[in-house]
Amino acid sequence: MVKINNNYDKLGAGYLFPEIARRTKLFLANNPQAKVMRLGIGNTTEALTPTIIDGLKTGVANLSDIKTYSGYGDEQGNTRLREALANHFSKKGIQLQTNEIFVSDGAKSDSANIQSIFGFGVVAVQDPSYPVYVDTNVIAGRTEEYDESSGQYKNILYMPCVAENGFFPEVPKGKVDLIYLCSPNNPTGAVATKEQLKGFVDYAIENKAVLIFDSAYASFVSDSNLPTSIYEIPRAKECAIEIGSFSKSAGFTGVRLGYTIVPMDLVVEDTVAGKVNSLWNRRQTTFFNGASNIAQMGGIAALSEEGLKESQEIIDYYMENARIIKKCIESIGLKAYGGVNAPYIWLATPNNMSSWDFFDKLLNETHVVGTPGIGFGPNGEGYFRLSAFGHRDDIKQAVESIVNNLKI
Ligand code: PL4
C-alpha cells in the first residue's frame, strides 16, 4: 500500500502567505465596501522597464521564426545569461565560472530544493526567517515533531535575530551542518556586515558546514560598505552556496527567473572539489527543464547597463515607499527597523500584542494588510512586517489610514 509522506503532517498551520490571503478574503467578504491596502506579501507592482520589455519581446519574436526558434534549452540556463551573471558578479570583484551558475525559475524553488543534495544533519536558520527554509527541511524529514510550546521543530537550530543583536545572530555554539542566511533579510530588513558574514564563513570552514546564502534582496543595498554577496568574504567559495533572484531586482515576480551559484571550490566531507556542483547539476537536470527562454532573454536585458540603470530607478521608488512607511510607524510611536537597505519594515507590535492579533487589528481598523512576525518563526512573535512594494498612492493611503485610524 502506498503511503503518504507523513512529514507533511508535522507542518504547522497552512503556509504563511496563503493564510494571509485567506484572512484578507474573509475580511473583504464581510466588508465588501472596504478598500484593502496590501503591504503584506512582498510582491512587485511597477511596470517592467523598456529595456527589459525589449528583451522579453526579442525572446517572443525569436519563437516566431524557425531560424531563431528554440525549444528546450540547457537545464542549467542560457549561456549568454550565465555569462551576463558572471560579468555582473565580476563588477563586484567576484570571479565566477559560468558552470558555477545555474539559472532557475526563481529563488523560492532553489532555496526549497537545495537541501535535497545534502544528507541528514542539523539545520540552522535565522529566527525569524523566510518560512521556505524550515518547511522544506521538515518535509524532507530532517526534523522531528513541531513543539507547540517553543514554536520550534526539534533538530533545527533557531538562531535568534532580535533587536538586541541587531537582528543578526551569533555563530552557533555547537556543531551544525547546513546554515541558511538571508541578507538583506526577509523579514527584519537587517543587512549583515562583512565582519558578521566572515564570522559565519570562518565557522563553516572550521566545522565543515555549508552556508546557503539567500541574496534575493541584494539590489536594495545602497550602503557601499555592506556586502551584497557572500563571495565578498574571503574563502566563502569553499563553504557557501548563493541563491539570487530577478524578482525584486527587475520586477520578475510573475516572469520567474533566479539562479543558484555552487562554486567548484565548495567541498563537503571528504569529497573532491566540484562534487557539490555536480550534485546540483544532477538534481537540476533530473528535476528541472530550464527556465523559460523568454524570461531568460528578459534576464539578459535586465543585466545590461541600461537595464540595470532603469531597474535602479524602480528600486529607488520602492525604497522611497519604505522611507514613507517607516516614518509613519515611528510617528505613531512604534519602534520600526529595516527599510533602509531592504524593502521591509519590521515593527514591534504595540503593547506586546501577538502578531496575528495585530494583523486583525490593523486590517479591521485601517484596512491595511501586513505580515505577522510569528509566521517567520518564534522570535518573530511581537513583530510585524510591512512591505514597501506598492504604488505610491496606495502606500500614501495606507500610512494615512494607519495614522488616522489605528487605535494604540
Ligand atoms: C510570496 C528571502 C516574498 N508566494 O520570486 P523568487 O522565487 O525568486 O523569490 C522568492 C523569495 C526568495 N527568498 C526570499 C524571499 O523573501 C522570497 C520572496 N518572498 C515575501 O513576501 O516574503 C514573497 C512571498 C511567495 C512565496 O512564498 O515566496
Side-chain angles (χ1 to χ4, degrees):
M1 185 178 68
V2 67
K3 294 198 173 138
I4 58 162
N5 177 355
N6 284 323
N7 293 315
Y8 278 86
D9 293 337
K10 295 179 192 163
L11 292 171
Y15 183 63
L16 173 63
F17 296 105
E19 178 60 17
I20 291 173
R22 191 190 67 78
R23 289 197 188 206
T24 307
K25 213 166 150 191
L26 189 67
F27 173 81
L28 279 170
N30 294 330
N31 303 273
Q33 317 300 351
K35 179 187 179 256
V36 157
M37 291 155 279
R38 295 170 196 272
L39 276 61
I41 296 173
N43 202 358
T44 49
T45 54
E46 302 313 294
L48 294 177
T49 73
T51 299
I52 294 173
I53 291 293
D54 282 349
L56 292 168
K57 280 184 181 165
T58 304
V60 172
N62 284 348
L63 297 177
S64 70
D65 186 332
I66 53 166
K67 289 200 241 27
T68 48
Y69 173 84
S70 60
Y72 293 125
D74 293 339
E75 291 89 343
Q76 301 87 347
N78 176 322
T79 305
R80 277 183 58 209
L81 176 57
R82 296 169 90 194
E83 285 169 356
L85 281 161
N87 182 44
H88 185 61
F89 275 86
S90 79
K91 290 189 207 144
K92 302 183 192 186
I94 297 161
Q95 305 311 325
L96 298 171
Q97 302 168 44
T98 48
N99 61 359
E100 294 177 307
I101 303 170
F102 296 82
V103 175
S104 71
D105 62 354
K108 179 174 183 174
S109 30
D110 285 358
S111 60
N113 295 329
I114 195 72
Q115 47 75 28
S116 70
I117 62 170
F118 297 102
F120 280 14
V122 179
V123 169
V125 293
Q126 289 171 277
D127 175 21
S129 67
Y130 182 44
V132 169
Y133 314 145
V134 167
D135 286 7
T136 53
N137 277 289
V138 173
I139 291 167
R142 275 195 191 78
T143 71
E144 292 171 35
E145 301 299 319
Y146 179 73
D147 176 31
E148 287 286 348
S149 61
S150 65
Q152 300 183 348
Y153 291 94
K154 285 187 196 139
N155 215 31
I156 287 195
L157 179 77
Y158 291 76
M159 303 182 290
C161 295
V162 290
E164 290 71 33
N165 62 10
F167 299 101
F168 192 80
E170 299 293 318
V171 296
K173 297 233 173 344
K175 198 167 157 32
V176 300
D177 301 294
L178 212 51
I179 304 173
Y180 290 81
L181 293 177
C182 175
S183 178
N185 189 264
N186 174 19
T188 66
V191 186
T193 63
K194 284 186 185 155
E195 292 69 35
Q196 287 171 323
L197 292 185
K198 183 178 180 305
F200 273 85
V201 168
D202 291 348
Y203 171 92
I205 289 172
E206 201 180 315
N207 292 278
K208 297 187 189 311
V210 170
L211 307 178
I212 310 292
F213 186 75
D214 187 338
S215 65
Y217 301 97
S219 51
F220 290 83
V221 174
S222 55
D223 182 339
S224 58
N225 293 316
L226 293 170
T228 56
S229 165
I230 189 75
Y231 304 121
E232 289 180 44
I233 312 305
R235 300 192 65 190
K237 280 188 187 173
E238 295 168 42
C239 64
I241 290 171
E242 180 161 317
I243 297 172
S245 173
F246 286 78
S247 283
K248 312 295 161 56
S249 60
F252 277 31
T253 41
V255 178
R256 308 305 305 144
L257 196 65
Y259 58 91
T260 284
I261 298 165
V262 187
M264 290 297 173
D265 290 348
L266 178 59
V267 176
V268 301
E269 292 182 52
D270 298 322
T271 61
V272 292
K275 176 70 178 176
V276 181
N277 177 285
S278 78
L279 289 184
W280 186 241
N281 188 55
R282 185 71 167 88
R283 195 268 164 213
Q284 290 298 81
T285 50
T286 306
F287 283 70
F288 182 60
N289 249 339
S292 143
N293 43 16
I294 301 168
Q296 295 192 76
M297 290 303 286
I300 292 168
L303 292 170
S304 69
E305 206 176 310
E306 202 52 32
L308 288 169
K309 207 169 118 211
E310 290 170 1
S311 292
Q312 186 59 49
E313 284 173 27
I314 298 181
I315 289 166
D316 293 345
Y317 177 93
Y318 290 133
M319 289 314 295
E320 175 61 11
N321 287 348
R323 196 193 59 76
I324 292 168
I325 296 167
K326 193 169 184 182
K327 195 170 151 212
C328 153
I329 297 304
E330 287 170 343
S331 79
I332 57 168
L334 298 184
K335 199 96 184 114
Y337 304 90
V340 178
N341 289 285
Y344 294 120
I345 288 87
W346 187 238
L347 62 97
T349 59
N351 314 315
N352 293 322
M353 188 177 275
S354 87
S355 56
W356 273 118
D357 283 352
F358 187 69
F359 174 91
D360 291 332
K361 178 179 170 68
L362 193 70
L363 184 54
N364 283 302
E365 292 177 4
T366 73
H367 302 174
V368 172
V369 178
T371 307
I374 187 72
F376 299 98
N379 271 301
E381 187 51 296
Y383 286 93
F384 198 78
R385 192 192 79 175
L386 292 174
S387 159
F389 296 104
H391 300 311
R392 182 65 45 77
D393 282 352
D394 293 339
I395 299 289
K396 283 187 174 162
Q397 277 180 41
V399 299
E400 203 177 300
S401 180
I402 291 173
V403 168
N404 293 334
N405 303 319
L406 187 67
K407 301 181 194 79
I408 297 179

